[in-house]
DNA sequence: AAAAAAG
């Protein structure tokens, strides 16, 4: 199956070809002909299935004819989060480059006036989050009476976020005769009800069962004490020893925790960004952008990033906190192992999380291996030897100043060349209570810093190894690419 | 229990 026999216009096919895609995904193959036939569509699909292009491409074909009038958008797309809305806009920019199309993004956190000016000029595609959209309609700057096609994306998530009343209000402002495309990953009763209200004789398109996790994702759970500082310490170890780690999203349950973990990792020299809903919009966009471009290999995030965000090639997902809702787990780890790639999802599990973990395992229909203290047994030493775990365990237990064995350091020199500055300022650890004591891990052996995963983007020149670097709070085992290039002021 | 979105 190729894109060429789905009924898309020449322009759109050319744009698709230019991006290098040749074959449609199942959701695209099924949905596109219905959309072009101007049928209502009920799409049941997870993100990562190519869902966005399934409506963007036919919409571009439809929009080639006709022109927008001032304040009366021709099509409207509703998204639950600002990031998702921006992502859909990028799709229109990419595939619609050859068309003179006015695409407007109506999201909160950015200038109202600019948006209003854009609406005034007439837009073909309006992509919005509900709050800001209603704000514009209430102020009279926006009329939805000219909308020919309405897309409701991530409907089940809108439900979770309490947006359904807003969505219903918006739907009342859009002509009854419109075409509606409705996408959801799951079909809870409330969603079923609104599909009956919003859709007319919809064509049902369903791909990949909900509540499944990609087979290419390796999952593990690692036990931890309930203290937050223990979890942070464990996280750092997991980051260091992770195999083939290229980049990772670290999920926390609370915005506050996101900020704390972000700051903590920064202090320990990691190159890391943060993303949560209390950050201002430019900072949110910058963090996501840097992560996408690979400028920041690590991103600490709340569930704002759990669903739908299209970040290609996330190698690892860490659950710093186990999500309280099992379906959030599925969405979070769905950020990795996309498009058939492999991925790893590691959850830090405290005794308090046992019930949530059990619910997750029940939902996904498989048990998640417990790494226990054996986790690091799988870590390879770069020179091919493996030390006894007990020995590793002792490395830091004697006042935390154990000197690593020479042999094991060899082969890591290159990766260690970007040691965190903190390593040179051991005293800094002293005003951090969590770092005061020797950092003997609670559950098993001290892991070897496994650097075998480091891509070849480290410093090329060999560097002599340092003599001693294992002051408590010293975390110099970081692969170079995980390190911050710049250091924030000490004690900040 | 919390996050998200309008401030």
């Amino acid at each position: 199956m190729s894109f060429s026999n789905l009924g898309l216009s020449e322009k759109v096919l050319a744009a698709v070809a230019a991006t290098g895609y040749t074959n449609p995904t199942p959701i695209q193959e099924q949905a596109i002909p219905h959309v072009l036939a101007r049928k209502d569509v009920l799409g049941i699909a997870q993100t990562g299935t190519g869902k966005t292009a399934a409506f963007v491409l036919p919409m571009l074909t439809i929009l080639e004819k006709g022109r927008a009038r001032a304040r009366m958008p021709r099509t409207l797309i509703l998204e639950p989060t600002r990031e998702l809305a921006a992502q859909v806009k990028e799709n229109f920019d990419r595939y619609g480059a050859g068309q003179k199309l006015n695409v407007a993004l109506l999201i909160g956190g950015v200038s109202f006036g600019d948006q209003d000016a854009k609406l005034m000029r007439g837009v073909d595609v309006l992509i919005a989050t509900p709050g800001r959209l209603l704000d514009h309609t209430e102020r009279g700057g926006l009329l939805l009476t000219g909308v020919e096609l309405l897309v409701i994306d991530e409907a089940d998530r809108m439900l979770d976020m309490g947006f359904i009343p807003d969505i219903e209000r918006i739907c009342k402002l859009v002509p009854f005769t419109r075409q509606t495309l409705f996408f959801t990953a799951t079909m809870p009763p409330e969603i079923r009800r609104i599909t009956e209200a919003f859709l007319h004789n919809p064509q049902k398109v369903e791909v990949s069962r909900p509540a499944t996790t990609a087979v290419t994702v390796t999952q593990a759970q690692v036990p931890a004490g309930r203290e937050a500082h223990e979890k942070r310490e464990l996280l750092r170890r997991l980051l260091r020893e992770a195999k083939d780690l290229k980049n990772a999203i670290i999920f926390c349950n609370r915005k506050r925790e996101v900020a704390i973990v972000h700051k903590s990792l920064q202090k320990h020299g990691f190159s890391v960004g943060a993303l949560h809903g209390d950050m201002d919009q430019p900072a949110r966009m910058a963090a996501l952008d840097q992560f996408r471009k690979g400028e920041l290999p690590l991103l600490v995030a709340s569930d704002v990033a759990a669903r739908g965000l299209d970040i290609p090639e996330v190698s690892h997902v860490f659950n710093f906190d186990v999500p309280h809702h099992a379906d959030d787990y599925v969405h979070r780890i769905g950020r990795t192992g996309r498009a058939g790639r492999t991925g790893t999802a590691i959850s830090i599990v405290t005794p308090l999380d046992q019930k949530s973990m059990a619910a997750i395992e029940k939902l996904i229909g498989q048990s998640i291996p417990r790494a226990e203290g054996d986790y690091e047994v799988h870590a390879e030493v770069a020179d091919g030897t493996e030390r006894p775990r007990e020995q590793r365990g002792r490395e830091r237990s004697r006042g935390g100043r154990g000197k690593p064995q020479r042999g094991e350091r060899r082969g890591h020199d290159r990766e260690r060349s970007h040691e965190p500055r903190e390593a040179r300022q051991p005293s800094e650890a002293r005003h951090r209570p969590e770092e005061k004591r020797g950092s003997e891990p609670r559950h098993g052996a001290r892991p070897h810093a496994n650097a075998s995963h480091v891509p070849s983007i480290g410093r090329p020149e060999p560097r002599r190894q340092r003599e001693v670097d294992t002051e408590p709070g010293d975390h110099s085992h970081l692969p170079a690419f995980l390190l911050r290039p710049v250091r924030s002021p000490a004690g900040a």
Side-chain angles (χ1 to χ4, degrees):
Chain A
M1 191 66 183
S2 83
F3 277 107
S4 54
N5 38 19
L6 295 176
L8 296 166
S9 68
E10 290 301 321
K11 260 186 196 166
V12 172
L13 288 175
V16 172
T19 61
Y21 289 110
T22 53
N23 298 320
T25 65
I27 185 92
Q28 290 161 2
E29 187 180 321
Q30 292 175 61
I32 288 172
H34 291 313
V35 179
L36 292 171
R38 309 309 305 263
K39 297 247 173 54
D40 279 7
V41 171
L42 169 57
I44 303 171
Q46 305 273 50
T47 46
T49 55
K51 171 169 63 84
T52 305
F55 60 84
V56 170
L57 299 178
M59 282 177 72
L60 284 168
T61 294
I62 289 167
L63 288 164
E64 279 178 20
K65 298 193 193 92
R67 212 167 168 283
R69 287 191 279 167
R71 304 211 179 279
M72 291 179 68
R74 299 168 67 196
T75 63
L76 171 61
I77 299 168
L78 296 172
E79 295 288 339
T81 68
R82 299 170 185 176
E83 278 74 17
L84 281 172
Q87 188 171 292
V88 171
K89 167 115 177 10
E90 282 165 28
N91 272 263
F92 275 98
D93 293 343
R94 187 184 318 147
Y95 297 115
Q99 292 179 44
K100 272 197 303 182
L101 216 55
N102 292 320
V103 182
L105 192 56
L106 292 197
I107 59 175
V110 294
S111 157
F112 192 95
D114 294 351
Q115 294 175 351
D116 194 56
K118 191 145 198 187
L119 290 173
M120 184 62 179
R121 292 196 292 271
V123 296
D124 298 287
V125 183
L126 186 59
I127 304 156
T129 47
R132 184 57 74 94
L133 180 89
L134 286 168
D135 203 352
H136 279 277
T137 59
E138 280 157 14
R139 298 200 204 184
L142 173 62
L143 280 171
L144 298 181
T145 51
V147 172
E148 304 156 27
L149 188 152
L150 170 67
V151 179
I152 299 166
D153 198 14
E154 302 268 335
D156 51 349
R157 186 163 188 210
M158 302 237 211
L159 174 71
D160 291 346
M161 292 165 63
F163 285 171
I164 295 304
D166 285 348
I167 299 301
E168 289 180 312
R169 277 176 66 201
I170 293 164
C171 280
K172 286 190 185 124
L173 301 171
V174 177
F176 185 73
T177 53
R178 65 170 191 264
Q179 178 183 9
T180 307
L181 315 178
F182 188 101
F183 292 93
T184 181
T186 59
M187 265 295 188
E190 179 69 359
I191 292 293
R192 191 173 301 281
R193 180 187 75 75
I194 63 170
T195 61
E196 282 157 17
F198 294 171
L199 297 171
H200 308 300
N201 193 19
Q203 306 297 308
K204 194 169 169 187
V205 166
E206 184 164 4
V207 297
S208 87
R209 271 174 26 249
T212 56
T213 51
V215 290
T216 52
V217 176
T218 305
Q219 300 175 61
Q221 48 175 317
V222 184
R226 68 181 64 174
E227 296 294 328
H229 70 86
E230 293 175 52
K231 290 171 69 175
R232 290 197 293 271
E233 183 179 309
L234 174 57
L235 172 67
R236 296 195 294 276
R237 289 182 41 231
L238 293 171
L239 285 169
R240 284 184 208 113
E241 71 190 69
K243 268 195 83 185
D244 299 319
L245 190 147
K246 293 188 193 70
N247 59 354
I249 305 179
I250 298 143
F251 282 105
C252 304
N253 286 354
R254 295 173 199 77
K255 291 179 278 198
R256 226 172 57 90
E257 199 69 31
V258 170
I260 293 167
V261 172
H262 174 236
K263 205 166 180 180
S264 160
L265 286 174
Q266 271 192 329
K267 268 194 175 173
H268 285 85
F270 289 86
S271 177
V272 58
L275 183 66
H276 65 71
D278 277 355
M279 290 163 56
D280 65 54
Q281 193 56 25
R284 283 167 68 162
M285 290 193 171
L288 191 56
D289 200 46
Q290 286 180 295
F291 185 69
R292 278 210 179 105
K293 285 183 185 152
E295 292 167 11
L296 282 174
L298 303 175
L299 184 69
V300 187
S302 69
D303 279 319
V304 69
R307 304 195 195 194
L309 286 190
D310 185 29
I311 303 163
E313 311 224 34
V314 175
S315 73
H316 284 63
V317 165
F318 292 90
N319 284 316
F320 183 81
D321 298 310
V322 175
H324 293 286
H325 282 306
D327 53 342
D328 286 334
Y329 177 87
V330 176
H331 288 291
R332 286 180 181 186
I333 80 159
R335 297 309 96 208
T336 186
R338 291 164 63 97
R341 284 187 274 262
T342 57
T344 304
I346 299 172
S347 300
I348 296 176
V349 181
T350 73
L352 298 172
D353 298 320
Q354 297 303 334
K355 263 179 87 173
S356 299
M357 251 359 254
I360 287 164
E361 290 181 317
K362 189 175 172 211
L363 176 72
I364 65 175
Q366 65 188 89
S367 72
I368 300 169
R370 282 153 185 77
E372 302 296 343
D374 292 343
Y375 183 76
E376 53 273 20
V377 161
H378 307 295
E380 295 162 7
V381 178
D383 63 6
T385 65
E386 187 165 86
R387 289 164 302 143
R389 285 169 48 205
E390 302 71 37
Q391 185 183 340
R392 292 187 223 159
R394 258 182 250 118
E395 264 176 38
R396 292 208 176 188
S397 56
R398 291 163 295 151
R401 235 191 183 314
K403 187 164 154 186
Q405 327 249 311
R406 286 228 147 210
E408 79 203 6
R409 299 295 309 271
R410 296 213 188 277
H412 299 304
D413 296 348
R414 193 191 63 191
E415 289 76 25
R416 296 228 173 99
S417 58
H418 285 181
E419 283 171 327
R421 303 283 172 90
E422 286 78 357
R424 291 158 222 162
Q425 301 203 341
S427 62
E428 184 185 336
R430 293 199 188 110
H431 53 255
R432 293 199 301 272
E434 62 167 290
E435 301 300 344
K436 263 184 186 161
R437 287 179 292 143
S439 44
E440 175 67 9
R442 169 158 292 205
H443 68 280
R446 169 76 207 148
H448 184 270
N450 172 23
S452 63
H453 58 276
V454 176
S456 54
I457 54 173
R459 283 267 171 79
E461 73 273 20
R463 189 178 174 282
R464 290 194 50 205
Q465 71 186 58
R466 293 157 51 90
E467 283 303 311
V468 173
D469 64 0
T470 46
E471 185 72 14
D474 159 41
H475 298 279
S476 56
H477 299 65
L478 305 188
F481 75 107
L482 287 180
L483 299 185
R484 280 184 308 138
V486 199
R487 173 176 178 246
S488 63

